[in-house]
Amino acid sequence: MRTDVLGVGFDNVTLDEAVGRALEIMDEGRSAYVVTPNPEIVQMCRKAAAVKDAVAGAALVLPDGIGVIYGAKILKRPLKERVAGTDFAEKLMERMSKTGKSVFFLGAKPGVAELAAKKLASKYPGLVIAGTADGYFTDDGYAADIINAANPDFLIVGLGAPKQQESWMASMRDKLRVGLMGGFGGSIDVWAGTVQRAPLGWQKAGFEWLYRLIKEPRRIKRQIKLPLFLLAVIGQRIGRK
Ligand code: UDP
């Protein structure tokens, strides 16, 4: 049973458990997908049924964002830990490198996915790079052809708005032949080094959002929604009593 936070069901797993499950699902080779919703995506699910259905259809729903962890705590059904998409995908690639599995990077600006692939391949020798493509394509069928020709064990999808990676994976699933795929937003930029994550201390203290806000003040428009998310969670708790 998934843990419900504002209508989105989360799998209550640690990072290691999530990676273990992902490896099993990957071997089934049914193009299943992983999502890592943060509060912003949860709010989107409440407004857009297509996004909600896409998230519910995932084989693994991992809690990214400290807001989801707080939300679950407020609802008195705490989740084991925050599983950030970037950490999950990287740990999975580390494990994949031990058995020579392959990964395809789809997303970010032209050239960034190649850079990310190069850096990860040298960090984890044994990891096979099946291919890369930027995230500004207009023809989904063409993108699917390139991915299917590369036949990766793992497809990393890093698409921002307007594509909406969760809905994209749900709608493309039947057209793709991959072991497993997952939506990881701006992670490709992080691996490429074009965007820096917060230092570990900030991440552990639950302040990654603050670090990002300081680095990119224009995010205030998005982060201002976090208190609204927590208010909605409090509403869910009161409504349940
Ligand atoms: N992106 C993409 N295709 C698009 C729009 C965005 O590949 O049409 C990429 C963007 O380059 C970045 C990632 O998606 O690598 C996340 O973008 P955004 O800033 O929207 O998302 P965030 O992670 O900040 O939610």
Coordinates of all heavy atoms in Angstrom, one line a residue, residues 38 40 106-109 112 134-137 158-163 184-189 212 216 218-219 222, ligand 1:
N38 N 7.9 16.0 -6.2 CA 8.2 17.0 -5.1 C 6.8 17.7 -4.9 O 5.8 17.4 -5.5 CB 9.3 17.9 -5.5 CG 9.0 18.6 -6.8 OD1 7.9 18.7 -7.3 ND2 10.0 19.2 -7.4
E40 N 5.7 20.4 -5.7 CA 5.2 21.1 -6.9 C 4.4 20.1 -7.8 O 3.4 20.4 -8.3 CB 6.4 21.7 -7.6 CG 6.0 22.7 -8.6 CD 7.2 23.3 -9.4 OE1 8.3 22.9 -9.1 OE2 6.9 24.2 -10.2
L106 N 18.1 11.4 -21.9 CA 17.2 12.2 -22.8 C 16.8 13.5 -22.0 O 16.1 13.4 -21.0 CB 16.0 11.4 -23.2 CG 14.9 12.2 -23.9 CD1 15.3 12.5 -25.3 CD2 13.6 11.4 -23.9
G107 N 17.3 14.6 -22.4 CA 16.9 15.8 -21.8 C 18.0 16.9 -21.7 O 19.2 16.6 -22.1
A108 N 17.6 18.0 -21.2 CA 18.5 19.2 -21.1 C 18.9 19.8 -22.4 O 18.5 19.3 -23.5 CB 19.8 18.8 -20.2
K109 N 19.7 20.9 -22.3 CA 20.0 21.6 -23.5 C 21.0 20.8 -24.4 O 21.7 20.0 -23.9 CB 20.6 23.0 -23.2 CG 19.6 23.8 -22.4 CD 19.9 25.3 -22.5 CE 18.8 26.1 -21.9 NZ 19.1 26.6 -20.5
V112 N 24.5 18.9 -23.2 CA 24.6 18.7 -21.8 C 24.5 17.2 -21.5 O 25.3 16.7 -20.6 CB 23.5 19.5 -21.0 CG1 23.5 19.2 -19.5 CG2 23.7 21.0 -21.3
D134 N 19.2 15.7 -26.6 CA 18.7 16.8 -25.9 C 17.2 16.8 -25.7 O 16.5 16.0 -26.4 CB 19.2 18.1 -26.5 CG 18.5 18.4 -27.8 OD1 17.3 18.8 -27.7 OD2 19.1 18.3 -28.8
G135 N 16.7 17.6 -24.8 CA 15.3 17.6 -24.5 C 14.4 18.6 -25.2 O 13.3 18.8 -24.8
Y136 N 14.9 19.1 -26.3 CA 14.2 20.1 -27.0 C 13.7 19.6 -28.4 O 13.5 20.4 -29.3 CB 15.0 21.4 -27.1 CG 15.2 22.0 -25.7 CD1 16.2 21.5 -24.9 CD2 14.3 22.9 -25.2 CE1 16.4 22.0 -23.6 CE2 14.5 23.4 -23.9 CZ 15.5 22.9 -23.1 OH 15.6 23.4 -21.8
F137 N 13.4 18.3 -28.5 CA 12.9 17.7 -29.7 C 11.4 18.0 -29.8 O 10.7 18.3 -28.8 CB 13.1 16.2 -29.6 CG 12.5 15.5 -28.4 CD1 11.2 15.1 -28.4 CD2 13.3 15.4 -27.2 CE1 10.7 14.5 -27.3 CE2 12.7 14.9 -26.1 CZ 11.4 14.4 -26.1
G158 N 14.9 13.8 -18.5 CA 15.1 15.0 -17.8 C 14.5 16.2 -18.6 O 15.1 17.0 -19.2
L159 N 13.1 16.2 -18.5 CA 12.4 17.2 -19.3 C 11.7 18.1 -18.4 O 10.9 17.7 -17.5 CB 11.4 16.5 -20.2 CG 11.9 15.5 -21.2 CD1 10.8 14.8 -21.9 CD2 12.9 16.1 -22.2
G160 N 11.8 19.4 -18.6 CA 11.1 20.4 -17.7 C 9.8 20.7 -18.4 O 9.3 20.1 -19.4
A161 N 9.2 21.8 -18.0 CA 8.0 22.4 -18.7 C 8.4 22.8 -20.0 O 9.6 23.3 -20.2 CB 7.4 23.5 -17.9
P162 N 7.6 22.8 -21.1 CA 6.2 22.4 -21.1 C 6.0 20.9 -21.3 O 4.8 20.4 -21.3 CB 5.7 23.2 -22.3 CG 6.8 23.2 -23.2 CD 8.1 23.2 -22.4
K163 N 7.1 20.1 -21.5 CA 6.8 18.7 -21.8 C 6.2 17.9 -20.7 O 5.4 17.0 -21.0 CB 8.1 18.0 -22.3 CG 8.5 18.5 -23.7 CD 9.3 17.5 -24.5 CE 9.6 17.9 -25.9 NZ 10.7 18.9 -26.0
F184 N 13.7 12.6 -14.0 CA 14.7 13.2 -13.0 C 14.9 14.7 -13.2 O 16.0 15.2 -12.8 CB 16.0 12.4 -13.0 CG 15.7 11.0 -12.7 CD1 15.9 10.0 -13.7 CD2 15.3 10.5 -11.5 CE1 15.6 8.7 -13.5 CE2 15.0 9.2 -11.2 CZ 15.2 8.2 -12.3
G185 N 14.0 15.4 -13.9 CA 14.1 16.9 -14.0 C 15.5 17.4 -14.4 O 16.0 17.0 -15.4
G186 N 16.0 18.3 -13.6 CA 17.3 18.9 -13.9 C 18.5 18.1 -13.6 O 19.6 18.6 -13.6
S187 N 18.4 16.8 -13.3 CA 19.5 16.0 -12.8 C 20.6 15.9 -13.9 O 21.8 15.8 -13.5 CB 19.1 14.5 -12.5 OG 18.2 14.6 -11.4
I188 N 20.3 15.9 -15.2 CA 21.3 15.8 -16.2 C 22.2 17.0 -16.1 O 23.4 16.8 -16.3 CB 20.6 15.6 -17.6 CG1 19.8 14.3 -17.7 CG2 21.7 15.6 -18.7 CD1 19.0 14.1 -18.9
D189 N 21.7 18.1 -15.8 CA 22.5 19.3 -15.6 C 23.5 19.2 -14.4 O 24.6 19.6 -14.5 CB 21.6 20.6 -15.4 CG 20.8 20.9 -16.6 OD1 21.4 21.3 -17.6 OD2 19.6 20.8 -16.5
R212 N 18.9 26.4 -3.4 CA 18.5 26.7 -4.8 C 17.9 28.1 -5.0 O 18.1 28.7 -6.0 CB 17.5 25.6 -5.2 CG 18.1 24.4 -5.9 CD 17.1 23.5 -6.5 NE 17.2 23.7 -8.0 CZ 16.4 22.9 -8.8 NH1 15.6 22.0 -8.3 NH2 16.5 23.1 -10.1
E216 N 19.2 30.7 -7.4 CA 18.3 31.1 -8.5 C 17.1 31.8 -7.9 O 16.0 31.2 -7.8 CB 17.8 29.9 -9.3 CG 18.8 29.1 -10.0 CD 18.2 27.8 -10.5 OE1 17.4 27.8 -11.5 OE2 18.6 26.7 -10.0
R218 N 14.9 33.6 -9.0 CA 13.6 33.6 -9.8 C 12.7 32.4 -9.4 O 11.5 32.4 -9.7 CB 13.9 33.6 -11.3 CG 14.5 32.3 -11.7 CD 14.9 32.3 -13.2 NE 15.8 31.2 -13.5 CZ 15.3 30.0 -13.8 NH1 14.1 29.7 -13.8 NH2 16.2 29.0 -14.0
R219 N 13.3 31.4 -8.7 CA 12.5 30.3 -8.3 C 11.5 30.6 -7.2 O 10.7 29.8 -6.8 CB 13.4 29.1 -7.8 CG 14.2 28.5 -8.9 CD 15.0 27.4 -8.3 NE 14.2 26.2 -8.0 CZ 13.8 25.3 -8.9 NH1 14.2 25.4 -10.1 NH2 13.0 24.3 -8.5
R222 N 8.0 29.7 -7.7 CA 7.6 28.3 -7.6 C 7.6 27.9 -6.1 O 6.8 27.1 -5.6 CB 8.6 27.5 -8.4 CG 8.4 27.7 -9.9 CD 9.5 27.2 -10.7 NE 9.5 25.8 -10.6 CZ 10.3 25.0 -11.4 NH1 11.1 25.6 -12.3 NH2 10.3 23.7 -11.3
Ligands
UDP1 N1 14.2 20.8 -20.5 C1 14.2 20.0 -21.6 N2 13.2 20.3 -22.5 C2 12.3 21.3 -22.4 C3 12.3 22.1 -21.3 C4 13.3 21.8 -20.3 O1 15.0 19.1 -21.8 O2 11.5 21.5 -23.3 C5 15.2 20.5 -19.5 C6 16.0 21.7 -19.0 O3 17.1 22.0 -19.9 C7 16.5 21.2 -17.7 C8 15.4 20.3 -17.2 O4 14.6 20.1 -18.3 O5 17.6 20.4 -17.9 C9 14.6 20.8 -16.1 O6 14.1 22.1 -16.5 P1 13.3 23.1 -15.6 O7 14.2 24.2 -15.2 O8 12.0 23.4 -16.2 O9 12.9 22.2 -14.4 P2 13.2 22.1 -12.8 O10 14.1 21.0 -12.5 O11 13.8 23.4 -12.4 O12 11.8 21.8 -12.4

